[in-house]
Amino acid sequence: MIVLHLPFPPSVNEANKFGKRGYYPSNAKQKFFTDADSLFLTQKRALSGLKVEGPFTYHLILNRAQRGPLADGDNRIKYPLDFAERVDLIENDKLAEGGSWSWGECEFGAMLSIHPIANKETAA
C-alpha cells in the first residue's frame, strides 16, 4: 500500500473552465498541482522506489475541517489520481478497479491510499 498526502483537491466542476478560446484549467486546478508538488517533495524520500504496477484500488480521505457547505466529495477524486500518476506512484489511473472516498481526519487537505491488486500469475 502507498499513502500519499495531498492538498485539498478541487472538484472537477471548479477545476475546468470554458471560454471563448475553449477549455482552460482554473486557478484552483493549477494551485492544487503546484501545492501537491511542494507537499510531494516532503514525502519523496519515503516514497522513493514505490510504485503500484498494474491494477489497484484506492481510498481518498478528504479533510473534514475543509469541508464547505456545498462541497461535493465524490467529484474530487480525479486530480489526486492524476497526481499519483504524474509522480509515478501508479502506471495509469485507468487501471483503478475500484475506489472510495470519505470525509475524515488527515494532516493535510487529503490522503490517498493506493492498494495493489495481487496478480494471480505473480502470486503463484
Side-chain angles (χ1 to χ4, degrees):
M1 175 178 72
I2 297 174
V3 174
L4 177 63
H5 299 279
L6 294 163
F8 194 74
S11 71
V12 173
N13 297 337
E14 70 181 313
N16 301 300
K17 301 297 179 189
F18 298 90
K20 292 179 182 178
R21 293 187 286 174
Y23 156 84
Y24 61 96
S26 71
N27 291 338
K29 181 177 177 181
Q30 291 173 341
K31 181 171 176 19
F32 170 77
F33 281 100
T34 299
D35 292 350
D37 283 337
S38 296
L39 188 53
F40 180 71
L41 289 177
T42 68
Q43 305 168 77
K44 191 173 184 177
R45 183 177 302 217
L47 296 171
S48 179
L50 297 179
K51 181 176 183 175
V52 172
E53 302 276 351
F56 64 93
T57 61
Y58 64 87
H59 183 73
L60 178 67
I61 298 174
L62 298 168
N63 192 326
R64 184 179 287 118
Q66 294 181 295
R67 184 179 189 176
L70 301 177
D72 189 1
D74 66 338
N75 71 9
R76 295 179 186 274
I77 296 168
K78 178 170 179 37
Y79 300 111
L81 289 175
D82 285 353
F83 186 78
E85 182 178 337
R86 182 172 139 188
V87 296
D88 210 29
L89 294 176
I90 58 175
E91 283 182 78
N92 193 311
D93 61 357
K94 74 178 183 180
L95 296 173
E97 294 210 354
S100 59
W101 68 272
S102 63
W103 295 103
E105 305 298 320
C106 53
E107 186 176 357
F108 300 100
M111 185 173 71
L112 178 65
S113 60
I114 304 164
H115 310 268
I117 295 175
N119 184 336
K120 290 180 184 178
E121 293 173 13
T122 60

